[in-house]
Amino acid sequence: MSAEKPQITLVIDGIEVEAEEGAMLVDAAKGGDIEIPVFCYEPKLGGPVGACRMCLVEIEGIPKLQTGCSTAVRDGMVVYTRTDRVIESQNAIVEFLLVNHPLDCPVCDKGGECPLQDISMGWGPGRSRFSEPKRHFQKPVALSPLVRIDRERCIMCYRCVRFSQDVAEDEQLQLLERGAQSFVGTFDERPYIAPFAGNIIDLCPVGALTSEAYRFRARPWDIEDSGSICTLCPSQCNVMFTVRDERVQRVFPRDNDDVDNGWLCDKGRFGFQMIASGERITEPTVSGAKVGWEAALDAAAERLRAAGERTAVIVGGQASNEEGYLAQRIARRALGSPHVGAVDELSPAPLHALSAPELGAAVADIDHADSILVVGVDPLHAMPVLDLRLRKAVRHGDTRLVVASDRPTALDGGAEVTARYEPGEAAELLEALERQLTRPPANPGTPGREAEDVPGIGSAGREAEEVPGGDSGAESIAGELRPGATVIVYGERVGRGTGGEAALHALAGCARALRCDADRAGLIGVPDGANGRGLREVGCLSGAGPGFEEAAAGRDLAEIRDGLRAGDVDALILVQADPVRDLPDGPAWAQALRQARAVIAISCFEDASTAAADIVLPAEMYAEKEGTLTHPDGRLQRLRPSVPRPGDVRPVWQALTELSARLDHETGIDSASEALEAIAAEVPFYAGVTADEIGGRGVRWQERQAAAACPPAAEARGERRAAAADSGRPENGSGGGALRLGTYRDLWAAEATERNPAIRFLAPAQRVELAPADGARLGLGDGDQVEVRSNGTSVRARVALHERIRPGAAFMIEGTATENANALAGAETVEIERIAPAPGAPGRSDRSDAEPAGS
Amino acid sequence: MSQEFPYLKDAEDVVAVQRGPEPGGVAGAYRAFGETLRGLKTTMAQVFAGPITIQYPEEKTPVYPRFRGRHKLHRFEDTGLEKCVGCSLCAAACPADCIRVVAAENDPVDRVSAGERYAAVYEINLARCIFCGYCEVACPFDAITMGHEYEMADYNRGDLIFTKEMLLAESLEQTPLRREGE
Ligand code: SF4
Ligand code: SF4
Ligand code: FES
């Protein structure tokens, strides 16, 4: 996006090298095939720090040696990288680095892929004059349950500390002590637990930081790397699988600046262990009996034929475009049923409007946006790597961040304005914002779009202003957003529930008012499922077929559930979906699945939904899959098989085509690539896309010619309903114990957390987050065990008091393995009651919600 | 001459060949059998020198100390711990790609090797090994060396995959060594 920088010419070691003006010398040298050794230089971490002095070079006209990593090139510069002076300094630096290094390469996991080894061999003196005893530390010690640190190997390059301080901004890692005694650690030796902590393993240029899950598993010459995509969340990070003996042993980033900036979250990094899990379903079963594929498919076809158009299909968020396409095709064409849905459910009309190609922002646009509005989503939980991207934009540029959400987000600290609305009330705020943005600018009372006009927000200090959700909040927000240069990141969850449709319409209105069709502006919707966007675009949406083509409207997910219970829907196909865990009202889903005449589940693992299924077909995991995904910003990406499928597992596309054939709908598709061809033929804006075109880096469909074929959204504004502000919602914080319930999906509340031994310790226990005022009013303290009740259902949780929670609201986690808050979904308000006396607070076990309100 | 060989244009093209003696007589007999007899003389001399073959397998050919036979893995003599730390450098060096090492972490209370890691699996496929000795050179701990054993024939290819236990075990029979200069 940034303007092309002028090219200049310089001479390095007698070779003329062209480079972009302002590039660092070490990068420019690569253009002339000259390598300048570096340790601390890592552009991913931000600007150069010049800490290690490995990159010293001689520049004509400058008497002292200069660091190549922090010297920008100039036209006509003459640089020498192999003169005697330079070689002497390089030798000295390597000798110094090795003074305290234990040289235990044979037992070090980094051996063979270690920059210190490479640089010592390439630029070192080859011998050491140091005969004194080396510095000793206890080793290796656990920095966290996921990372071990060997402090003797550390060369003090600061990379890990910089990551923690400057990139993840968790500020946990420090360099402690001074001089030769300095070491990397955390305050008080607390474990370094943070969602992105694993990245320091890749960053460390020596073997000081090693992965607990990969420790001693393989050496670089034992392994093969295989590039694919992580499908554990919508970030769809580009990953490399390290494969040894046909098993994935490690996951590391495949640096794609358009997607992930080369970072991974720990769920993706350590979530690979489940691929080789012994708990995988490896054989098809019918009523629990292992019968083999032919019999299972026959049985499935028989039941589906009996159910006919009374069949529903639900596709899980991890499914590929091909799988989603074939699943909806079975429903629509083989069975004539309109009941197709993905676990990410939104109503088609406003969604279609928001998916318009000119409104879409690319992830990289975030870097250059003037202002960013984050609405109804905490990227840290929903799309972790995007959180790092947003932080980067705020840290580096003049980007002004505005966060509007019901629950406090991890980004609040960097925001100019944060607006808190009541749980589920995004529509109200968005409509107010739309009104603000569309107000005629001539009105002198309107706050201007310039930051100076907004009280309390100076350009100097980053004093976050917290505003309430209503019109005044919208006014502050509107003041921060610059039309034509604003990226809106919204959680697609704002489109759920009663006010959902209105919220999406208002969002589309805001996007128009902010001229999101401009070059540096746009929208990015964060779905719940990893491939939420792709699945909708290939037709896993009630009322819209592939490419948003008009289709007969079917039941939505809740209606499917009720239909199953009432006997109006006879059969259900679950394609890697677990409605009991992932959809609102899990207990009702469990009941619905039990009552259904036939449930056919395609799944990798046994879960609450397969338990109620009659026919279970094994599915491949993402490292085994071939197919495509669509990133939330519209980037088509390729999944490539890296390891063989275990047991009798077949590709899901194959299971679906075979099932389709048995239902007398021959698809003529015999491979994943033919399924992609079929998608490219049916989705107009994917027209002509091939796996080769997508390649290793992906391609945004909005940037292809075919994007013009995206059908314009029907103008739905006429019939648009305003959010029902008067739907009899209880007053916020009204007496008694009633609180507004909001649920969110925690990063770790996922099957992947429980199935991977390495990250199992991160699985969250249910908790209910309250404002301290509410806690005091209800007599609840941090850690109290409570029961959260609504309409006869209850969930047990521990109280967590949180300064930044809005009084009157309570937040709980969806998708936990036990005590899942989705049981309470649909409930507007909840009552909270303590069930066990808090330790250290005896005598307070009386019904406390009867106490007078304190706030 | 030009009359005898009318097609020759020039007398200089003619080369006169001298005939050998006619067969027969003592000289003739010598010419026929002389070399054979010379060979027989050597044969006769060896008949009296006695046999130099050995009665394998009762007796074995001694090998030179530097002979590269079947590998051995070693332990420290004092502690009994395995020298191998499972670093896989031998596997990296092996041109025949016949070594497989899977490492694991030592349990500090019940150590297998002296280092942080040890070889949980160490296998050499001797059916593929070319006895180049690169593995021995690569090993930073002298944990693997080329032994003297050369009797490795077997009925199954699978039996030629030697495991860590087999490589660590003392061989039952000692291969006789040839003294330097012998
Ligand atoms: S632990 Fe690694 S990344 Fe951190 S300072 Fe030491 S060498 Fe650098
Ligand atoms: S002797 Fe040569 S071929 Fe045999 S295992 Fe060692 S390195 Fe491989
Ligand atoms: S790489 Fe330049 S000082 Fe470290």
Side-chain angles (χ1 to χ4, degrees), chain A residues 603-632:
Chain A
S603 175
C604 299
F605 289 100
E606 313 229 343
D607 52 36
S609 300
T610 61
D614 308 276
I615 300 173
V616 179
L617 305 175
E620 332 151 89
M621 296 234 46
Y622 59 118
E624 294 150 13
K625 224 183 243 185
E626 184 181 350
T628 59
L629 301 169
T630 309
H631 188 274

Side-chain angles (χ1 to χ4, degrees), chain A residues 20 298 581 698 792:
Chain A
E20 218 171 64
D298 285 341
R581 181 168 190 165

Side-chain angles (χ1 to χ4, degrees), chain A residues 228-231 234-238 254 256 258-259 319-323 325 361-363 530-539 547 627-640 672 675-681 683-707:
Chain A
S228 192
I229 308 288
C230 170
T231 67
S235 311
Q236 293 184 12
C237 297
N238 291 199
R254 188 160 56 85
N256 186 346
D258 290 326
V259 177
S320 68
N321 291 344
E322 286 75 4
E323 292 160 4
Y325 166 78
V363 168
N531 192 26
R533 176 165 197 157
L535 291 175
R536 287 195 300 259
E537 291 179 347
V538 298
T628 59
L629 301 169
T630 309
H631 188 274
D633 80 353
R635 179 173 298 275
L636 285 155
Q637 307 207 81
R638 256 178 96 180
L639 280 170
R640 295 173 185 233
L676 180 61
E677 269 168 41
I679 293 175
V683 178
F685 46 91
Y686 287 3
V689 76
T690 59
D692 280 344
E693 186 189 344
I694 297 171
R697 308 260 111 184
V699 46
R700 283 187 73 218
W701 65 256
Q702 291 95 332
E703 287 161 15
R704 297 174 74 245
Q705 286 262 289

Side-chain angles (χ1 to χ4, degrees), chain A residues 346-695:
Chain A
L346 291 178
S347 47
L351 175 76
H352 185 174
L354 291 169
S355 307
E358 64 279 2
L359 285 185
V363 168
D365 289 342
I366 291 176
D367 300 348
H368 308 290
D370 283 356
S371 45
I372 299 172
L373 171 63
V374 174
V375 194
V377 65
D378 185 351
L380 181 69
H381 290 295
M383 196 170 164
V385 164
L386 199 69
D387 175 88
L388 293 183
R389 194 91 187 200
L390 292 164
R391 280 170 197 280
K392 180 172 133 192
V394 173
R395 195 168 55 240
H396 282 290
D398 316 312
T399 306
R400 307 178 77 80
L401 176 69
V402 178
V403 179
S405 63
D406 45 5
R407 186 178 172 271
T409 73
L411 288 169
D412 289 356
E416 306 287 345
V417 177
T418 53
R420 284 287 103 80
Y421 51 81
E422 275 189 58
E425 291 298 307
E428 214 176 294
L429 179 92
L430 286 168
E431 285 178 344
L433 181 61
E434 188 188 0
R435 277 196 299 278
Q436 284 293 335
L437 290 168
T438 47
R439 248 200 327 204
N443 184 344
T446 312
R449 302 271 148 73
E450 296 310 316
E452 290 74 48
D453 293 355
V454 182
I457 302 160
S459 39
R462 215 161 232 146
E463 284 290 302
E465 181 197 17
E466 182 149 346
V467 295
D471 275 305
S472 61
E475 201 175 305
S476 312
I477 296 175
E480 292 293 332
L481 303 177
R482 159 108 30 102
T486 297
V487 173
I488 304 178
V489 176
Y490 66 99
E492 289 181 353
R493 286 179 159 236
V494 300
R496 305 244 185 103
T498 36
E501 199 155 329
L504 292 182
H505 280 301
L507 192 62
C510 294
R512 264 189 300 272
L514 286 169
R515 300 209 310 275
C516 274
D517 48 356
D519 235 14
R520 289 155 63 212
L523 289 153
I524 299 177
V526 181
D528 273 6
N531 192 26
R533 176 165 197 157
L535 291 175
R536 287 195 300 259
E537 291 179 347
V538 298
C540 293
L541 184 64
S542 157
F548 298 123
E549 182 199 28
E550 276 284 322
R555 290 162 177 264
D556 68 19
L557 297 179
E559 287 164 357
I560 291 176
R561 180 189 65 210
D562 297 339
L564 287 168
R565 288 164 81 179
D568 300 334
V569 176
D570 286 344
L572 176 65
I573 307 176
L574 296 172
V575 183
Q576 299 185 61
D578 180 4
V580 178
R581 181 168 190 165
D582 294 336
L583 292 182
D585 211 349
W589 269 105
Q591 204 186 1
L593 295 182
R594 275 196 304 276
Q595 285 172 354
R597 296 238 171 86
V599 176
I600 297 154
I602 305 182
S603 175
C604 299
F605 289 100
E606 313 229 343
D607 52 36
S609 300
T610 61
D614 308 276
I615 300 173
V616 179
L617 305 175
E620 332 151 89
M621 296 234 46
Y622 59 118
E624 294 150 13
K625 224 183 243 185
E626 184 181 350
T628 59
L629 301 169
T630 309
H631 188 274
D633 80 353
R635 179 173 298 275
L636 285 155
Q637 307 207 81
R638 256 178 96 180
L639 280 170
R640 295 173 185 233
S642 305
V643 286
R645 292 179 292 273
D648 212 5
V649 177
R650 282 187 190 175
V652 175
W653 65 260
Q654 188 184 355
L656 290 171
T657 50
E658 283 176 22
L659 189 58
S660 188
R662 280 174 169 76
L663 294 168
D664 306 319
H665 176 71
E666 192 53 77
T667 53
I669 290 170
D670 283 319
S671 65
S673 54
E674 283 178 24
L676 180 61
E677 269 168 41
I679 293 175
E682 270 186 59
V683 178
F685 46 91
Y686 287 3
V689 76
T690 59
D692 280 344
E693 186 189 344
I694 297 171

